[in-house]
Amino acid sequence: MTIANDLIQPDRGQDAIAIHLVNTDSFESFAKSLSGPQRAALNAQKFTGGGYQVGIVPDGDKDSAGWFAVGGVADPDDLSSWCLAKLAEKLPEGTYRLADRPAGPAMFGWMTGQYRFTRYREDKDAEGPRVLLTQDVAKIELVTAEAQAASLVRDLVNTPADDMGPAALEAEAERIAKENEASITVTRGDALEKGFPMVHAVGRAAERKHAPRLIELEWGDESHPKIAIVGKGVCFDSGGLDIKNSRGMLLMKKDMGGAAHALALSELIMKAGLKVRLHCVVPAVENAIAGNSFRPGDVLSSRKGLTVEIGNTDAEGRLILGDALTLASEREPDLILDFATLTGAARVALGPDLPALMARRDQTAEQLISAGKAHDDAPWRLPLPGEYAEWLKSDIADTNNTHTNGFAGASVAGLFLDKFVGEDIDWAHFDTFAWRPTPKPGRSKGGAALGLRAAFHALRGRYG
């Protein structure tokens, strides 16, 4: 992992540097409490209390640390997850405490603001750890687990495809199983052809070291409500024979972002001890090009028994999810959540920051949206309009995997997935980008966990 797990520690009166939080409205009053040299120091730094501003102020007390910090936030009395993130990025190595208020949700951004991806290059300019002290000891473990889960998504997505192929996803699942006393089952290569034919068809053209597989994790008391977490694990997507152009292929290491979310969420559920029987399903493939690639116009069989005409080989994620959702449905779970970097249409509609959410039941959608808003990870609901399902009709098979009119691409992809979810099962689908094209405090450029906290806190509220 590339984020330390001890960045939030219990406050037992240790020596620490104070952090004062202000905004543009309260800064003038705060400044009046300072000495002339202190005000001059802030003026020299052009500090005005604006959001994400960081100021260093000398402290005249010879028995103190010698200085204190000032941070600009939107509202000092209503902290968000990201209010301390810029401070965590910019302050020198050391131990800190907020001067007059609890950190609350901002502890999360304090941790994620110190994330670094260093697998291939050492960050020689990075400061050492910045530790935040808190008296809210009961929240430290949960906040740390959430930050570690977000960090895991970022690590997995940031890793290039040659080092994060299906076998690497399997290895990560094995680690999670071992550390959390879960069981793991993996179906690989040609053994997929009978039980998971669409996973096999999409992944069969990859070289042996990136052979396709279907990964299952199971955890929890069998008497507890069953839930399934499913994640799209396309470790690299060339587009297949409907090949992407070079620009479209450049970020396709992130096409396993759904699997990264599913694994991170599953581990978070285990660490939190939610009272569920968890079934995590990750179909992991590389959509490669070779003589045995599946073709446009082919008709694939599926675990569900539906036949699927291939309108486009670049709409492969929904195919592997179809088999995975069918498997998850066979356990008759109380709820299925799936994560996938599924459509460009969702990004056109919502941009990079908002995961698209589709759900069969309004109550479930409302739970996910409410939990997301409360934890600065809100999804945006898109519809599953039944009248659009006819756009997936095939002349020769039960369904096509794409439509041709260009309308409502994210929703039509969701309708395709809906065909493979068991009847009357509560199901929600996250079409997430899993990537941040530009950095923000606490959220560096690169792999991103979008929808993870919304899903976890909705589950936590539902299952305790």
Side-chain angles (χ1 to χ4, degrees), residues 381-425:
R381 191 179 185 186
L382 296 182
L384 286 169
E387 58 268 32
Y388 293 171
E390 65 181 24
W391 296 347
L392 289 167
K393 285 183 178 178
S394 165
D395 292 334
I396 61 172
D398 293 321
T399 185
N400 203 301
N401 75 326
T402 59
H403 65 309
T404 58
N405 62 28
F407 296 138
S411 290
V412 175
L415 290 167
F416 179 86
L417 297 182
D418 184 74
K419 296 174 182 288
F420 296 90
V421 179
E423 188 175 354
D424 296 328
I425 291 177

Side-chain angles (χ1 to χ4, degrees), residues 237-260:
D237 182 17
S238 68
L241 293 177
D242 287 314
I243 190 169
K244 296 178 183 288
N245 60 29
S246 59
R247 183 177 179 183
M249 219 180 292
L250 189 60
L251 279 183
M252 283 302 99
K253 69 176 185 179
K254 79 171 187 67
D255 212 20
M256 40 59 67

Side-chain angles (χ1 to χ4, degrees), residues 220-269:
D221 191 324
E222 292 186 4
S223 67
H224 289 159
K226 299 176 184 177
I227 66 167
I229 309 295
V230 179
K232 171 189 168 184
V234 177
C235 296
F236 189 79
D237 182 17
S238 68
L241 293 177
D242 287 314
I243 190 169
K244 296 178 183 288
N245 60 29
S246 59
R247 183 177 179 183
M249 219 180 292
L250 189 60
L251 279 183
M252 283 302 99
K253 69 176 185 179
K254 79 171 187 67
D255 212 20
M256 40 59 67
H261 280 75
L263 291 172
L265 177 58
S266 294
E267 185 170 30
L268 192 49
I269 289 168

Side-chain angles (χ1 to χ4, degrees), residues 152 172-180 217 263 267 270:
L152 175 59
E172 191 61 37
E174 287 177 345
R175 178 196 65 78
I176 292 170
K178 182 177 180 180
E179 293 181 6
N180 296 279
L217 288 175
L263 291 172
E267 185 170 30
M270 296 175 197

Side-chain angles (χ1 to χ4, degrees), residues 41-389:
L42 284 178
N43 287 336
Q45 296 169 70
K46 298 182 179 180
F47 186 94
T48 62
Y52 297 131
Q53 287 188 333
V54 177
I56 301 294
V57 183
D59 190 336
D61 185 350
K62 65 180 180 180
D63 293 327
S64 73
W67 60 275
F68 60 87
V70 186
V73 298
D75 185 350
D77 296 320
D78 186 18
L79 301 185
S80 76
S81 296
W82 315 117
C83 284
L84 299 182
K86 195 69 174 182
L87 288 154
E89 293 174 9
K90 294 298 184 182
L91 290 174
E93 175 182 353
T95 301
Y96 298 84
R97 68 164 57 88
L98 292 189
D100 58 356
R101 69 194 69 242
M107 290 188 289
F108 179 80
W110 180 271
M111 295 193 72
T112 61
Q114 298 182 61
Y115 171 85
R116 299 291 184 273
F117 183 67
T118 56
R119 177 165 179 169
Y120 301 100
R121 183 179 66 184
E122 182 182 356
D123 189 353
K124 296 180 180 179
D125 298 327
E127 291 278 355
R130 277 77 78 192
V131 175
L132 183 67
L133 303 180
T134 180
Q135 294 183 353
D136 199 353
V137 177
K139 292 183 179 179
I140 293 176
E141 184 176 359
L142 182 60
V143 170
T144 298
E146 287 184 54
Q148 293 285 12
S151 176
L152 175 59
V153 173
R154 295 159 93 175
D155 281 349
L156 296 180
V157 173
N158 284 332
T159 303
D162 200 46
D163 291 328
M164 190 48 63
L169 282 181
E170 178 184 336
E172 191 61 37
E174 287 177 345
R175 178 196 65 78
I176 292 170
K178 182 177 180 180
E179 293 181 6
N180 296 279
E181 298 183 352
S183 64
I184 183 170
T185 303
V186 183
T187 307
R188 304 179 189 86
D190 290 340
L192 293 161
E193 191 168 9
K194 182 176 180 180
F196 306 98
M198 292 199 293
V199 179
H200 180 266
V202 173
R204 69 193 183 201
E207 60 177 318
R208 180 181 293 273
K209 81 175 208 176
H210 295 315
R213 60 208 67 203
L214 192 288
I215 304 163
E216 296 180 77
L217 288 175
E218 295 182 77
W219 173 89
D221 191 324
E222 292 186 4
S223 67
H224 289 159
K226 299 176 184 177
I227 66 167
I229 309 295
V230 179
K232 171 189 168 184
V234 177
C235 296
F236 189 79
D237 182 17
S238 68
L241 293 177
D242 287 314
I243 190 169
K244 296 178 183 288
N245 60 29
S246 59
R247 183 177 179 183
M249 219 180 292
L250 189 60
L251 279 183
M252 283 302 99
K253 69 176 185 179
K254 79 171 187 67
D255 212 20
M256 40 59 67
H261 280 75
L263 291 172
L265 177 58
S266 294
E267 185 170 30
L268 192 49
I269 289 168
M270 296 175 197
K271 287 182 175 179
L274 296 193
K275 294 181 179 180
V276 297
R277 176 63 177 176
L278 172 66
H279 184 206
C280 175
V281 184
V282 173
V285 302
E286 179 179 349
N287 187 18
I289 298 173
N292 62 339
S293 295
F294 73 117
R295 309 167 188 83
D298 280 355
V299 174
L300 305 183
S301 58
S302 69
R303 184 179 182 88
K304 179 83 170 183
L306 297 174
T307 55
V308 181
E309 183 182 8
I310 302 305
N312 193 315
T313 63
D314 196 22
E316 82 300 325
R318 66 195 69 182
L319 298 173
I320 65 171
L321 284 172
D323 278 348
L325 289 167
T326 299
L327 173 66
S329 297
E330 290 167 3
R331 308 286 180 90
E332 298 183 343
D334 185 59
L335 172 68
I336 298 176
L337 296 180
D338 83 73
F339 292 83
T341 52
L342 204 63
T343 67
R347 306 286 64 82
V348 172
L350 302 177
D353 292 357
L354 291 173
L357 169 68
M358 283 157 261
R360 282 180 169 178
R361 299 182 186 176
D362 292 343
Q363 182 180 9
T364 297
E366 290 164 4
Q367 290 172 345
L368 291 163
I369 292 168
S370 177
K373 287 180 177 179
H375 295 87
D376 302 298
D377 187 31
W380 194 278
R381 191 179 185 186
L382 296 182
L384 286 169
E387 58 268 32
Y388 293 171

